[in-house]
Amino acid sequence: MKSSHVIDASDLFIHDQEKAWITSAQQGNQQAFHQLYLTHHKRIYALCWRMLADKDSAEDVCQEVFVQLWLNIKKFREESKFSTWLHSIATNVVLSHLRKQKNWLQRVFSIEDQTIQESTVEMEELPELDKHIMRLPERARLVFVLFAVEGYRHQEIAKMLGMAVGSSKSQYHRARELLKEWVSDE
Amino acid sequence: MNKQNSEQLLAAQLSDLPKELTPKRDLWLGIEKGIHNKTQLEVSNKAKNQYVPLSWAASVVFAVLLTWGVISPQQADSPAELVVEMQQNFEQQKQAMLVTYGQPKLADLPESLKKQLEDLASARKSIENALLEDPANNDLLNILRWTQAQELELLTKLFSPQWQSI
């Protein structure tokens, strides 16, 4: 009982601390914004790397996420948790980056990327499941990360990725089947 | 390995998946730079958006004042007072315009433009002096109005585009 009170108090302190940083950052305090960066950048980087499956792009996009956060932080109204709001910004920035990268052939003919990527040296440090996630074909990977890791619903994912809800579900199923096969082969 | 096992294995690995990954390089420096660049861009866009309507407003006010000056010069009590009033109005408009354009230094202008401004100002002063002798001379009054308008127009041309190109 006592320890749960301690945890509650500590959570409360972190929440209050973060709230103070957000308010200061909204008033243009870059040091407070740096504290927010320090608190959240590793999770945002993980999201970027998993979705992009490329370390260098993930670093660049993660930086862009925080630049966008700085430009938009005044819009945060505490209607949701700050981390949830930040993750939605990050997801949008990643998807927008991917859209820009798509070549015109894919855009015009909607050719889906079927390629299963080879693991690279950069991936060696990652947990086994991450290595497998990054080998998934792009759409399956995006759906899997958004649904299973980030906790979005298929309706939300379908809207974000511009696909039918059924497609989101089937891509998720496809990702799971591939992952199950790969984890079994380890 | 059967289907159930692989399902369990995947679920276990998924629940163990780290929420955080650490980037190899320090991303903050790039973020600071990006913030600086985008903030500068936003400020300049805001300034652009702010001063374009302001320039329009200044032009409209100027046109209204000019029209008012042209159609109702007889409102002043005497021709001499009218000349003084015209001088005051002109100075007010000129100062307001210079404030709008951020108090630019006229001395920093290229020689040719500085000379144009000086010529117009000198012509205006000569006309004002002539009007002191003959305040009821309508031709001189019209020339003064025209000269004042030319001077204000030249100031607008010289300084207005600088704001818009920030």
Side-chain angles (χ1 to χ4, degrees):
Chain A
M1 192 66 150
K2 196 180 174 185
S3 74
S4 93
H5 276 171
V6 171
I7 289 165
D8 287 348
S10 139
D11 279 352
L12 210 62
F13 173 75
I14 291 166
H15 177 74
D16 286 348
Q17 181 68 74
E18 184 173 84
K19 216 172 153 181
W21 288 334
I22 293 166
T23 310
S24 291
Q26 284 175 328
Q27 289 160 358
N29 183 333
Q30 211 161 303
Q31 280 181 334
F33 184 72
H34 187 224
Q35 293 302 323
L36 288 172
Y37 161 79
L38 291 174
T39 310
H40 293 279
H41 80 284
K42 288 180 185 176
R43 287 194 70 158
I44 297 302
Y45 175 66
L47 167 69
C48 294
W49 197 358
R50 282 172 184 141
M51 285 181 80
L52 293 164
D54 176 72
K55 185 175 148 288
D56 292 333
S57 301
E59 288 177 349
D60 293 345
V61 171
C62 183
Q63 288 178 318
E64 179 60 22
V65 170
F66 281 93
V67 173
Q68 288 303 319
L69 175 65
W70 172 260
L71 296 176
N72 291 288
I73 197 160
K74 283 183 184 164
K75 293 179 190 164
F76 177 65
R77 295 274 179 268
E78 293 188 47
E79 285 153 1
S80 59
K81 270 178 75 178
F82 180 73
S83 57
T84 311
W85 186 71
L86 173 57
H87 276 234
S88 70
I89 291 181
T91 308
N92 286 332
V93 174
V94 171
L95 293 177
S96 145
H97 174 83
L98 283 170
R99 271 182 221 117
K100 279 182 211 159
Q101 288 222 315
K102 287 241 180 242
N103 67 43
W104 67 273
L105 260 177
Q106 281 176 308
R107 252 186 258 165
V108 174
F109 299 108
S110 301
I111 298 169
E112 193 199 340
D113 179 15
Q114 300 284 340
T115 337
I116 290 173
Q117 301 190 14
E118 293 302 317
S119 54
T120 60
V121 183
E122 298 155 354
M123 293 184 190
E124 276 170 15
E125 67 205 72
L126 293 173
E128 285 307 309
L129 183 59
D130 265 330
K131 286 181 194 163
H132 296 319
I133 289 173
M134 288 179 199
R135 286 176 61 205
L136 287 169
E138 187 180 284
R139 282 188 173 206
R141 186 181 68 244
L142 291 174
V143 172
F144 185 82
V145 172
L146 291 173
F147 186 84
V149 184
E150 290 296 312
Y152 284 98
R153 289 174 294 140
H154 280 298
Q155 283 85 349
E156 294 169 311
I157 296 167
K159 204 174 166 187
M160 279 190 256
L161 299 182
M163 58 167 69
V165 175
S167 302
S168 175
K169 287 178 181 171
S170 67
Q171 290 289 351
Y172 176 66
H173 178 74
R174 183 180 172 210
R176 275 190 75 90
E177 290 307 308
L178 282 168
L179 290 172
K180 278 195 291 187
E181 191 187 315
W182 292 336
V183 295
S184 310
D185 289 345
E186 276 167 18
Chain B
M1 193 176 284
N2 64 32
K3 200 179 171 184
Q4 201 184 347
N5 279 349
S6 62
E7 192 86 48
Q8 283 171 350
L9 201 57
L10 177 60
Q13 289 199 11
L14 194 55
S15 66
D16 288 343
L17 205 64
K19 296 211 181 305
E20 298 183 343
L21 293 173
T22 308
K24 278 274 180 285
R25 62 182 168 103
D26 180 12
L27 303 181
W28 178 248
L29 288 175
I31 293 168
E32 260 187 329
K33 202 176 166 191
I35 286 172
H36 177 75
N37 290 346
K38 294 217 173 163
T39 310
Q40 290 282 358
L41 199 69
E42 275 211 335
V43 168
S44 67
N45 283 342
K46 265 187 194 167
K48 209 184 218 179
N49 293 339
Q50 200 177 344
Y51 285 105
V52 168
L54 211 61
S55 305
W56 275 101
S59 306
V60 170
V61 169
F62 171 64
V64 168
L65 286 173
L66 193 66
T67 313
W68 175 81
V70 170
I71 60 168
S72 57
Q74 63 277 23
Q75 282 175 358
D77 291 339
S78 68
E81 282 176 7
L82 172 67
V83 174
V84 173
E85 203 176 297
M86 278 176 71
Q87 285 172 321
Q88 285 172 347
N89 280 343
F90 168 75
E91 285 304 327
Q92 279 172 4
Q93 284 177 55
K94 188 176 164 183
Q95 285 312 313
M97 198 174 264
L98 289 174
V99 168
T100 306
Y101 297 139
Q103 299 280 30
K105 284 183 187 162
L106 301 180
D108 292 345
L109 284 171
E111 279 306 316
S112 59
L113 298 174
K114 210 174 3 176
K115 187 162 185 319
Q116 276 187 53
L117 264 180
E118 282 168 0
D119 286 348
L120 275 171
S122 153
R124 175 172 49 80
K125 273 177 193 150
S126 304
I127 299 162
E128 283 168 358
N129 288 337
L131 274 166
L132 288 178
E133 303 292 321
D134 185 9
N137 187 329
N138 273 335
D139 289 339
L140 279 176
L141 280 172
N142 285 334
I143 295 171
L144 178 62
R145 270 186 212 108
W146 184 85
T147 316
Q148 288 177 336
Q150 289 299 310
E151 207 173 328
L152 294 176
E153 201 179 313
L154 185 58
L155 284 172
T156 309
K157 275 185 191 160
L158 289 177
F159 299 111
S160 171
Q162 279 190 354
W163 280 110
Q164 294 178 20
S165 65
I166 285 173

